[in-house]
């Protein structure tokens, strides 16, 4: 992704979150079209989008190629730093343990996700790794943004596989 020229301004934080979740949803749709589990993510650093990605586990034959992992890696490269305290990560599905661990290690400042994941979610569903008081970094977390749309794309994808 080519970084945008600068931060976009919004009337409210809720409006901003809804907009960027829409970008992540576009990435999720792209994943579904490729036969990947439809999860999409976008990473903002200081208000400007620096990376967007979707799951690519099937194409790469690599279980670590979750959307979050891909944008964290691209974002660190774009920002020139592995510590991204000024970053906001938008993702259509609650992060799993692997992604939550990467978020903590990269010190992402804020995580906004859409659908809750009752089977693997680590931002409150199964466990809350992102806000574990024993860890040295705890990002701000907001869940449920455009949750119905994020859940629907996953439900439709898996229903088509049955």
């Amino acid at each position: 992704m080519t970084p945008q020229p600068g931060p976009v301004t919004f009337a409210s934080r809720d409006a901003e979150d809804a907009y960027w979740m829409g970008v992540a949803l576009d990435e999720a749709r792209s994943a579904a079209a490729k036969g990947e589990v439809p999860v999409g993510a976008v990473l903002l650093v200081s208000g400007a989008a620096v990376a967007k990605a979707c799951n690519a586990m099937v194409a790469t034959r690599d279980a670590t190629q979750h959307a979050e992992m891909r944008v964290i890696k691209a974002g660190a490269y774009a920002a020139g730093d592995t510590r991204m305290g000024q970053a906001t990560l938008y993702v259509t599905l609650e992060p799993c343990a692997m992604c939550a661990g990467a978020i903590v290690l990269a010190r992402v400042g804020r995580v906004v996700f859409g659908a809750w994941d009752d089977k693997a979610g680590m931002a409150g569903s199964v466990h809350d790794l992102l806000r574990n008081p024993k860890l040295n970094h705890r990002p701000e977390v907001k869940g449920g943004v455009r949750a119905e749309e994020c859940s629907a794309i996953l439900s439709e994808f898996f229903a088509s596989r049955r």
Side-chain angles (χ1 to χ4, degrees), residues 63-132:
T64 68
Q65 294 302 298
H66 288 196
E68 301 98 305
M69 300 294 285
R70 296 178 74 211
V71 296
I72 289 169
K73 184 176 182 176
Y77 180 78
D81 194 352
T82 59
R83 294 185 180 205
M84 295 182 274
Q86 298 302 312
T88 299
L89 170 66
Y90 291 90
V91 61
T92 57
L93 182 64
E94 180 181 4
C96 69
M98 173 182 67
C99 295
I103 289 164
V104 169
L105 291 172
R107 291 174 174 62
V108 173
R110 185 167 182 255
V111 177
V112 179
F113 66 89
W116 294 90
D117 185 351
D118 293 336
K119 295 179 182 173
M122 289 291 148
S125 289
V126 173
H127 187 66
D128 198 346
L129 184 62
L130 290 178
R131 292 174 283 203
N132 188 312

Side-chain angles (χ1 to χ4, degrees), residues 6-107:
V8 177
T9 57
F10 296 91
S12 69
R13 188 167 238 190
D14 287 344
E16 179 179 16
D17 291 344
Y19 173 83
W20 290 113
M21 190 59 69
V23 175
L25 276 161
D26 288 343
E27 287 296 309
R29 289 181 194 98
S30 175
K34 299 172 190 170
E36 301 277 357
V37 173
V39 177
V42 62
L43 185 75
L44 277 62
V45 175
S46 299
V50 296
K52 63 180 181 175
C54 60
N55 276 0
M57 297 185 313
V58 174
T60 62
R61 296 182 183 159
D62 181 349
T64 68
Q65 294 302 298
H66 288 196
E68 301 98 305
M69 300 294 285
R70 296 178 74 211
V71 296
I72 289 169
K73 184 176 182 176
Y77 180 78
D81 194 352
T82 59
R83 294 185 180 205
M84 295 182 274
Q86 298 302 312
T88 299
L89 170 66
Y90 291 90
V91 61
T92 57
L93 182 64
E94 180 181 4
C96 69
M98 173 182 67
C99 295
I103 289 164
V104 169
L105 291 172
R107 291 174 174 62

